[in-house]
């Protein structure tokens, strides 16, 4: 019998036996008896008895007879000072578990007795009580500072502070750890004793015990965040102390100290207090970025060729699909990376936070604070590191280069932001106007050392590209990551200079014999794809040859990353992928994987995401593959809905379904509808997708609704003939989801309404009131995300375009935010339809725009080349207003315009 089968049978039998024993109330008395009194048994057996009891408390405590519960509590308190540290710890866990079941209020003697036991002359009793108190403080910090328990912290905090000077290091450590639990919540009892606390911390700064030093460092890091005012007078000494502790021989202490620099970088005083210490700090952080010996062992750093070794399941992180959020076609921005997977340095197999990662993160944030001022401290070190004969040192130098690189965020960067206050003109309007001059999309850099690094990059980038061929796999992998951080600069240079050699070498590394290097190269190449976009088109054949060859090489984990690289390529080059040669290379391996995977295999998530991008890019080129893909997506949605219904009706018999299967299927259907356009109509006609969509739109999970509304919008554009019969049922659901509490759901519902407007025309009239008030409320909300604001403005404009009589009466309530939302988007069809709507509404209700007419003028001037009939509409409104107020008043009014706005209106519209 295989070992895992035998083990699972044994565990199942044990579970059933425990279940039977739990039918007898006295069973728990026996368990506590074995834990506390049966001292003839060995410690592991006694501890196991306590842990079984702990699990019973978690599951069934409310059904314990009162005498049993009372006996367990009393035994715990009587034996908290057991001679065995293992038994003391087990009893502490049991006490905490009972307390967490709402028993702190029902066990009033617990905290007083534990605090009294701290005074015991018996070390074991004092240490056991402190261990239990530390666990209670960790689990119930808020409750301990509440009126529900008469604020026991008022007694506990001063008591804990007394033990900072205890002769035992373990007791000192417990005392600090207990107090530390209340720093971030600013517990009043601690704030009342804050100066004593800090004074005691300083006294322990040079403690011989590493656990004490670690807790001191942790306390200072948290105090830096919540009570920096108390630390400022001592900041020089604290920084000197943290410089020493960041080099502590105990790595746990060094890691806690290193967190200090991350927290300090977020404080306004950072530059002022740290500038003079950079000369000491930078070498320490750089030194901390080297792999330790244990790191190298854990990472199998001496293994160079492992591509044939199958992945173990624990190597593969759980994958969570991110539902589709619709962004308008005018959006030229890259997705907000804040929600994406972490841009970790390199060692995600070494997933624990460690000194290397913390040091790199600290250098990264300090580069954002000090920018070029950091370079004089770094550059002399870098030269020695990057060309060092020891690979560990060279690797850390490459990591340093990556850590100080910038992150690029594409944003519309206005050339100037000038505030104007227009004076009263004809007593009709007064407004405060923030003018942003018209400018194309540009790239805003987060502050970093990048500007200072630029002169060195022509020499450094070729060296890094050479490092991609280093004989050590860990050097090759970190070179991949660091080069990805400079991808934006690489792409900004002539292609033959750096892009082509970088791309060539990264593609070689994608086929590396080391799995870690494969992973790093694939991720780096995906970043390069995002930056280079259509610059990659001339090399598509070579790129696809490499990516497709990798299908035959990759083990499980890297195959998932390969899907992402292919999907990103499709997103980046778009319709350029729709060539017979490329389709023949790419589609067979994808479809083969598609056919191999079962419906319940979670590897479908990344493959579905990848296919969604590919289908959108290939457009009609995806037609030969669309039918089985479409049908399987519909089946996945149908299966998940059926499972959800069975679970809702019989939760004791059925498991809750994994709705990610449904979400990714809906998103791929969106990709098919967007890519195939009208060709999807026959597929929709032969399926029950509209019925399923109606159910998905009402799902309790926001991500399901989010993807449903995206699909609804895409089907509306592709085959409205099948959507129209459902409008009466769909519109009320869309209206109830115009709730900015769920930003992405609200965004997609808003976008779908706008698409439906354009198809319905005047027949939209019965539904206007279902959605208009919510849309107006959203556009006027403070701090609404930019994408939602723009989608809302487009949809309001489209509603006004098809039903001007119904929407125009509310014009004054939304015209100003409407204009400021759409002034910065590029000319396109969506903007065109929205502006036609606003012009038609002004025709119905001209008074609605009077007070904010300057905003309308600015929005009109944002157009580069409106269609002739739209330009005529603008012309008539501008001249109509000018004629209405008269030449002299118009002159007074237009004098308030910023110069560029005045020039554009005069040049394009003669006003």
């Amino acid at each position: 019998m295989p070992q895992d089968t035998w083990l699972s049978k044994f565990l199942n039998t044990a579970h059933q036996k425990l279940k039977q024993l739990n039918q007898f109330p006295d069973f728990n008395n026996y368990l506590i008896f074995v834990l506390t009194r049966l001292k003839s048994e060995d410690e592991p057996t006694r501890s196991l008895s306590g842990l079984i009891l702990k699990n019973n408390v978690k599951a069934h405590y409310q059904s314990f007879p009162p005498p049993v519960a009372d006996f367990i509590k009393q035994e715990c308190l009587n034996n908290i000072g057991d001679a065995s540290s293992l038994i003391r710890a087990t009893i502490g866990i049991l006490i905490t578990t009972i307390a967490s079941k709402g028993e702190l209020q029902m066990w009033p003697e617990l905290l007083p007795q534990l605090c009294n036991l701290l005074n015991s002359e018996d070390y074991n009793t004092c240490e056991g009580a402190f261990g239990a108190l530390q666990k209670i403080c960790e689990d119930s910090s808020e409750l301990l500072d509440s009126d529900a328990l008469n604020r026991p912290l008022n007694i506990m905090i001063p008591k804990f502070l007394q033990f900072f000077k205890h002769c035992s290091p373990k007791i000192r450590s417990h005392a600090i750890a207990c107090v530390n639990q209340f720093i971030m919540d600013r517990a009043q009892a601690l704030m009342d004793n804050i100066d004593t606390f800090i004074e005691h911390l300083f006294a322990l700064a040079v403690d011989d015990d590493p656990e004490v030093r670690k807790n001191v460092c942790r306390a200072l890091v948290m105090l830096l965040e919540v009570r920096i005012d108390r630390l400022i007078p001592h900041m020089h000494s604290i920084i000197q102390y943290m410089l020493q502790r960041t080099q502590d021989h105990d790595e746990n202490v060094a890691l806690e100290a290193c967190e200090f620099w991350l927290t300090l970088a977020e404080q306004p005083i950072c530059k002022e207090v740290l500038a003079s210490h950079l000369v000491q700090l930078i070498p320490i952080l750089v030194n901390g970025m080297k792999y330790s010996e244990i790191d190298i062992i854990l990472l199998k750093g001496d293994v160079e060729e492992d591509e044939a070794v199958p992945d173990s399941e624990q190597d593969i992180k759980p994958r969570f699909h991110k539902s589709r959020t619709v962004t308008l076609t005018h959006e030229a921005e890259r997705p907000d990376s804040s929600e994406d997977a972490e841009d970790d340095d390199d060692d995600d197999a070494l997933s624990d936070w460690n000194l290397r990662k913390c040091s790199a993160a600290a250098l990264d944030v300090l580069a954002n604070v000090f920018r070029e001022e950091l370079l004089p401290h770094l550059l002399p070190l870098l030269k020695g590191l990057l060309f060092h004969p020891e690979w560990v040192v060279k690797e850390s130098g490459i990591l340093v280069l990556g850590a100080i690189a910038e992150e690029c965020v594409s944003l519309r960067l206005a050339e100037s932001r000038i505030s104007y206050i227009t004076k009263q003109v004809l007593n009709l309007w007064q407004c405060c106007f923030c003018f942003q001059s018209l400018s194309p999309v540009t790239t805003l850099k987060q502050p970093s050392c990048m500007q200072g690094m630029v002169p060195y990059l022509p020499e450094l980038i070729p060296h890094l590209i050479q490092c991609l061929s280093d004989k050590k796999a860990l050097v090759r992998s970190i070179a991949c990551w660091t080069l990805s951080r400079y991808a934006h600069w690489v792409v900004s240079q002539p292609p033959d200079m750096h892009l082509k050699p970088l791309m060539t070498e990264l593609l070689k590394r994608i086929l590396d014999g080391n799995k870690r290097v494969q992973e790093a190269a694939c991720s780096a190449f995906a970043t390069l794809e995002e930056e280079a976009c259509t610059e990659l088109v001339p090399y598509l054949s070579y790129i696809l040859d490499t990516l497709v060859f990798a299908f035959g090489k990759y083990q499980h984990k890297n195959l998932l990353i390969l899907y992402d690289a292919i999907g990103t390529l499709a997103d980046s080059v778009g319709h350029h992928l729709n060539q017979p040669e490329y389709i023949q290379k790419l589609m067979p391996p994808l479809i083969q994987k598609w056919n191999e995977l079962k419906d319940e295999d979670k590897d479908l998530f990344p493959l579905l995401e990848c296919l969604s991008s590919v289908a959108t890019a290939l457009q009609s080129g995806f037609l030969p593959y669309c039918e089985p893909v479409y049908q399987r997506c519909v089946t996945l949605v149908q299966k998940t809905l059926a499972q959800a219904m069975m679970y809702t009706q019989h939760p004791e018999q059925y498991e809750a379904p994994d709705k990610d299967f449904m979400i990714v299927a809906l998103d791929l259907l969106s990709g098919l509808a967007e890519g195939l356009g009208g060709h999807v109509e026959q597929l929709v006609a032969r399926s029950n997708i509209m019925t399923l969509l109606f159910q998905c739109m009402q799902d309790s999970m926001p991500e399901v609704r989010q993807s449903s509304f995206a699909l609804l919008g895409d089907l509306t554009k592709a085959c409205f003939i099948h959507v129209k019969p459902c409008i009466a049922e769909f519109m009320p659901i869309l209206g109830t989801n115009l709730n900015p509490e769920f930003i992405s759901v609200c965004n997609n519902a808003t976008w779908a309404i706008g698409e439906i407007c354009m198809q319905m025309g005047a027949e939209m009239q019965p539904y206007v009131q279902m959605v208009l008030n919510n849309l107006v409320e959203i556009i006027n909300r403070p701090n609404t995300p930019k994408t939602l604001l723009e989608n809302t403005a487009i949809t309001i404009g489209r509603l006004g375009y098809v039903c001007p009589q119904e929407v125009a009466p509310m014009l004054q309530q939304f015209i100003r935010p409407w204009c400021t939302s759409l002034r910065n988007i590029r000319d396109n069809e969506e903007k065109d339809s929205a502006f036609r709507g606003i012009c038609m509404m002004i025709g119905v209700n001209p008074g609605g725009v009077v007070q904010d007419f300057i905003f309308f003028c600015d929005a009109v001037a944002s157009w580069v080349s409106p269609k002739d009939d739209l330009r005529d509409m603008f012309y008539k409104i501008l001249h109509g207003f000018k004629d209405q107020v008269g030449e002299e008043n118009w002159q007074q009014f237009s004098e308030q315009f910023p110069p560029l706005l005045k020039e554009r209106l005069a040049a394009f519209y003669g006003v």
Side-chain angles (χ1 to χ4, degrees):
M1 183 187 296
Q3 187 174 352
D4 59 344
T5 307
W6 174 86
L7 183 60
S8 63
K9 280 196 169 184
F10 170 77
L11 291 173
N12 188 50
T13 304
H15 176 70
Q16 293 303 322
K17 183 60 75 176
L18 282 172
K19 211 171 174 183
Q20 291 169 17
L21 289 168
N22 271 313
Q23 304 300 313
F24 303 98
D26 277 355
F27 176 54
N28 293 302
N29 282 342
Y30 287 116
L31 289 172
I32 190 70
F33 183 86
V34 171
L35 173 65
T36 59
R37 299 199 191 183
L38 206 60
K39 302 194 178 180
S40 57
E41 281 295 333
D42 59 65
E43 291 175 17
T45 301
R46 292 172 61 198
S47 177
L48 179 60
S49 180
L51 294 174
I52 292 170
L53 177 55
K54 185 259 302 185
N55 288 335
N56 287 349
V57 167
K58 282 182 83 170
H60 312 293
Y61 187 75
Q62 306 306 330
S63 61
F64 282 18
V68 172
D70 290 342
F71 180 61
I72 291 169
K73 290 179 187 176
Q74 198 54 52
E75 284 296 296
C76 285
L77 287 173
N78 289 346
N79 292 277
I80 194 71
D82 193 280
S84 160
S85 60
L86 176 62
I87 301 305
R88 293 198 300 271
T90 306
I91 292 172
I93 291 169
L94 184 52
I95 287 173
T96 312
T97 307
I98 295 171
S100 71
K101 302 300 289 184
E103 284 293 300
L104 269 180
Q105 293 97 316
M106 305 299 293
W107 195 359
E109 68 273 22
L110 172 63
L111 293 175
Q113 284 201 34
L114 287 175
C115 285
N116 285 336
L117 291 172
L118 296 181
N119 299 323
S120 172
E121 293 183 6
D122 176 59
Y123 169 80
N124 291 336
T125 301
C126 177
E127 196 276 328
F130 241 132
L133 280 167
Q134 182 177 335
K135 293 180 181 74
I136 291 169
C137 290
E138 289 169 2
D139 291 351
S140 308
S141 59
E142 287 186 28
L143 189 57
L144 293 173
D145 194 31
S146 69
D147 290 329
L149 293 180
N150 294 321
R151 300 193 178 274
L153 275 196
N154 292 336
I155 296 168
M156 292 167 70
I157 292 289
K159 185 89 174 174
F160 294 153
L161 290 172
Q162 293 172 15
F163 286 85
F164 277 41
K165 298 176 181 177
H166 197 277
C167 60
S168 161
K170 191 158 189 183
I171 299 294
R172 295 197 298 274
S173 179
H174 275 315
I176 308 169
C178 283
V179 178
N180 282 356
Q181 296 302 320
F182 305 99
I183 296 175
M184 296 308 292
D185 291 335
R186 300 170 184 262
Q188 190 56 51
L190 177 55
M191 294 302 108
D192 291 344
N193 292 274
I194 194 71
D195 292 327
T196 306
F197 176 44
I198 292 171
E199 182 186 326
H200 283 28
L201 283 176
F202 289 165
L204 291 173
V206 290
D207 200 282
D208 291 337
D209 186 74
E211 196 65 24
V212 172
R213 295 198 302 275
K214 184 180 86 171
N215 282 323
V216 168
C217 290
R218 183 175 294 171
L220 289 171
V221 170
M222 290 189 285
L223 286 168
L224 185 63
E225 194 165 334
V226 301
R227 288 307 304 263
I228 193 171
D229 58 309
R230 285 296 197 267
L231 298 187
I232 285 175
H234 315 283
M235 194 56 76
H236 175 77
S237 301
I238 292 171
I239 288 173
Q240 287 297 324
Y241 174 68
M242 287 301 188
L243 287 168
Q244 294 173 22
R245 293 285 71 81
T246 308
Q247 304 170 83
D248 200 285
H249 62 270
D250 186 293
E251 185 168 331
N252 292 320
V253 178
L255 177 57
E256 286 294 340
C258 196
E259 295 276 0
F260 180 83
W261 314 114
L262 281 170
T263 304
L264 183 58
E266 296 172 0
Q267 306 303 319
I269 64 162
C270 177
K271 204 164 185 179
E272 175 190 342
V273 299
L274 196 56
S276 61
H277 301 278
L278 288 179
V279 66
Q280 296 168 275
L281 174 61
I282 298 306
I284 292 170
L285 293 178
V286 168
N287 190 56
M289 290 162 73
K290 284 192 296 193
Y291 279 126
S292 67
E293 288 183 18
I294 189 68
D295 289 343
I296 296 169
I297 293 167
L298 290 171
L299 290 166
K300 302 184 177 72
D302 293 328
V303 177
E304 295 300 321
E305 298 280 337
D306 64 352
E307 66 176 350
V309 180
D311 294 336
S312 61
E313 284 307 303
Q314 60 261 38
D315 289 340
I316 301 160
K317 291 180 179 177
R319 249 192 91 90
F320 302 99
H321 173 70
K322 190 176 170 190
S323 302
R324 186 169 187 240
T325 302
V326 179
T327 51
L328 302 178
T329 54
H330 61 260
E331 288 291 313
E333 302 178 9
R334 288 169 56 191
D336 177 7
S337 62
S338 61
E339 296 178 22
D340 293 345
E342 286 183 15
D343 181 17
D344 222 343
D345 50 47
D346 50 39
D347 19 299
D348 70 4
L350 197 68
S351 55
D352 291 337
W353 187 239
N354 58 22
L355 182 61
R356 167 185 166 88
K357 290 187 174 186
C358 192
S359 300
L363 188 61
D364 188 345
V365 294
L366 289 172
N368 291 339
V369 174
F370 288 95
R371 307 177 75 175
E372 287 82 4
E373 294 172 42
L374 213 61
L375 292 179
H377 305 288
L378 263 177
L379 291 174
L381 297 172
L382 262 177
K383 191 171 182 182
L385 296 172
L386 290 171
F387 298 94
H388 200 279
E390 285 186 47
W391 75 264
V392 176
V393 179
K394 179 163 77 171
E395 194 277 347
S396 71
I398 299 171
L399 175 57
V400 168
L401 262 184
I404 62 173
E406 69 193 338
E407 297 271 17
C408 297
V409 187
S410 296
L411 290 172
R412 298 173 196 283
L413 181 65
E415 292 166 1
S416 61
R417 294 171 183 237
I418 312 163
S419 293
Y420 287 83
I421 300 178
T422 60
K423 296 178 181 176
Q424 191 170 14
V425 180
L426 298 176
N427 297 317
L428 288 175
W429 65 91
Q430 286 183 321
C431 62
C432 177
F433 179 59
C434 179
F435 175 74
Q436 293 176 293
S437 66
L438 305 168
S439 63
V441 174
T442 186
T443 302
L444 182 64
K445 315 292 194 306
Q446 288 184 351
S448 71
C449 303
M450 187 62 178
Q451 281 309 110
M453 287 299 297
V454 165
Y456 305 98
L457 292 181
E459 182 182 348
L460 283 172
I461 295 300
H463 176 67
L464 288 173
I465 292 173
Q466 279 185 354
C467 291
L468 291 173
S469 304
D470 195 275
K471 64 181 182 180
K472 292 299 295 184
L474 289 175
V475 174
R476 299 197 299 276
S477 67
I478 195 63
C480 290
W481 177 76
T482 293
L483 281 161
S484 75
R485 302 270 287 184
Y486 290 95
H488 180 79
W489 182 85
V490 166
V491 170
S492 71
Q493 307 302 303
D496 287 345
M497 191 174 292
H498 301 296
L499 175 61
K500 194 172 177 182
L502 173 57
M503 181 190 68
T504 304
E505 289 304 312
L506 275 180
L507 288 171
K508 288 179 187 174
R509 294 288 67 79
I510 283 174
L511 302 181
D512 199 276
N514 182 275
K515 291 193 287 187
R516 172 172 296 279
V517 178
Q518 292 171 0
E519 177 186 0
C522 239
S523 297
F525 196 74
T527 302
L528 187 65
E529 289 169 343
E530 288 179 330
E531 291 290 351
C533 293
T534 53
E535 296 274 350
L536 297 178
V537 171
Y539 316 107
L540 269 176
S541 184
Y542 177 38
I543 293 169
L544 288 171
D545 283 340
T546 303
L547 297 180
V548 168
F549 191 79
F551 270 107
K553 280 176 73 81
Y554 278 15
Q555 298 292 335
H556 187 186
K557 179 184 178 185
N558 286 349
L559 200 56
L560 308 185
I561 297 163
L562 181 61
Y563 293 146
D564 181 62
I566 292 171
T568 305
L569 179 68
D571 292 336
S572 300
V573 301
H575 66 89
H576 295 284
L577 204 56
N578 187 11
Q579 298 290 334
E581 174 200 354
Y582 304 150
I583 294 170
Q584 272 307 109
K585 289 177 189 284
L586 180 59
M587 289 309 300
L590 286 176
I591 294 300
Q592 182 186 341
K593 294 294 179 187
W594 170 264
N595 291 329
E596 287 173 4
L597 294 175
K598 295 178 180 176
D599 282 353
E600 49 280 353
D601 193 326
K602 292 192 177 184
D603 283 4
L604 270 178
F605 297 169
L607 180 54
L608 282 160
E609 290 171 358
C610 173
L611 280 172
S612 180
S613 295
V614 170
T616 304
L618 291 186
Q619 300 173 357
S620 60
F622 198 79
L623 275 172
Y625 310 95
C626 66
E627 186 147 5
V629 172
Y630 179 90
Q631 292 301 341
R632 188 173 192 183
C633 287
V634 172
T635 301
L636 283 169
V637 174
Q638 192 160 316
K639 270 188 178 181
T640 311
L641 287 172
Q643 288 171 1
M645 185 176 293
M646 289 188 294
Y647 173 71
T648 303
Q649 293 171 352
H650 305 287
E652 70 289 345
Q653 293 180 30
Y654 297 98
E655 287 188 9
D658 185 342
K659 290 186 179 178
D660 271 358
F661 285 104
M662 179 159 63
I663 294 166
V664 290
L666 289 167
D667 287 348
L668 179 45
L669 289 170
S670 279
L672 289 173
E674 186 179 348
L676 299 177
H679 295 293
V680 84
E681 189 273 325
Q682 291 183 346
L683 296 170
V684 174
R686 295 197 297 268
S687 72
N688 62 339
I689 188 61
M690 300 313 299
T691 304
L692 299 175
L693 191 54
F694 179 65
Q695 293 175 254
C696 292
M697 287 166 60
Q698 299 173 82
D699 197 272
S700 59
M701 189 174 179
E703 291 81 2
V704 176
R705 302 199 304 277
Q706 176 182 333
S707 292
S708 304
F709 297 140
L711 176 56
L712 174 60
D714 283 318
L715 290 176
T716 297
K717 293 171 74 174
C719 54
F720 188 62
I721 186 174
H722 296 297
V723 176
K724 190 172 183 181
C726 309
I727 291 298
E729 293 177 305
F730 285 2
M731 284 306 301
I733 300 171
L734 287 164
T736 57
N737 279 276
L738 297 177
N739 175 9
E741 183 183 345
F742 301 102
I743 293 292
S744 296
V745 178
C746 182
N747 180 78
N748 288 7
T750 302
W751 174 76
I753 292 166
E755 293 300 332
I756 290 168
C757 280
M758 299 310 292
Q759 300 290 338
M760 289 284 283
E763 293 180 68
M764 192 71 186
Q765 188 268 331
Y767 309 108
V768 171
Q769 296 311 317
M770 286 183 187
V771 299
L772 183 58
N773 287 331
N774 284 342
L775 292 170
V776 172
E777 188 177 326
I778 291 165
I779 205 169
N780 281 292
R781 278 176 95 248
N783 305 317
T784 301
K786 180 173 174 285
T787 299
L788 178 55
L789 273 180
E790 292 175 357
N791 269 319
T792 304
I794 294 281
T795 296
I796 290 173
R798 288 179 157 185
L799 274 172
Y801 180 53
V802 297
C803 300
Q805 296 292 339
E806 285 70 26
V807 184
M810 295 187 73
L811 186 59
Q812 190 174 339
Q813 296 181 39
F814 61 76
I815 186 65
R816 183 187 293 198
W818 190 97
C819 291
T820 54
S821 298
L822 295 188
R823 68 168 312 282
N824 277 331
I825 68 171
R826 293 176 175 178
D827 297 4
N828 63 29
E829 289 300 319
E830 290 164 321
K831 184 174 179 179
D832 180 279
S833 58
F835 271 81
R836 288 175 191 275
I838 215 75
C839 290
M840 293 176 74
M841 287 186 276
I842 290 171
V844 173
N845 178 20
V849 76
V850 166
Q851 288 190 352
D852 297 301
F853 196 69
I854 191 168
F855 289 90
F856 176 75
C857 293
D858 176 57
V860 166
S862 74
W863 278 89
V864 177
S865 54
K867 293 177 182 174
D868 289 343
D869 59 336
L870 181 59
R871 186 190 297 271
D872 288 342
M873 294 170 85
F874 293 156
Y875 183 93
K876 286 174 183 172
I877 292 172
L878 292 169
H879 280 271
F881 188 85
K882 180 180 177 182
D883 293 345
Q884 185 78 20
V885 300
E887 183 68 37
E888 184 180 341
N889 289 326
W890 175 263
Q891 288 302 321
Q892 289 182 39
F893 172 59
S894 62
E895 283 302 316
Q896 308 301 312
F897 291 177
L900 185 57
L901 173 58
K902 196 171 183 180
E903 289 168 20
R904 289 180 71 88
L905 290 179
F908 286 95
Y909 302 101
V911 292

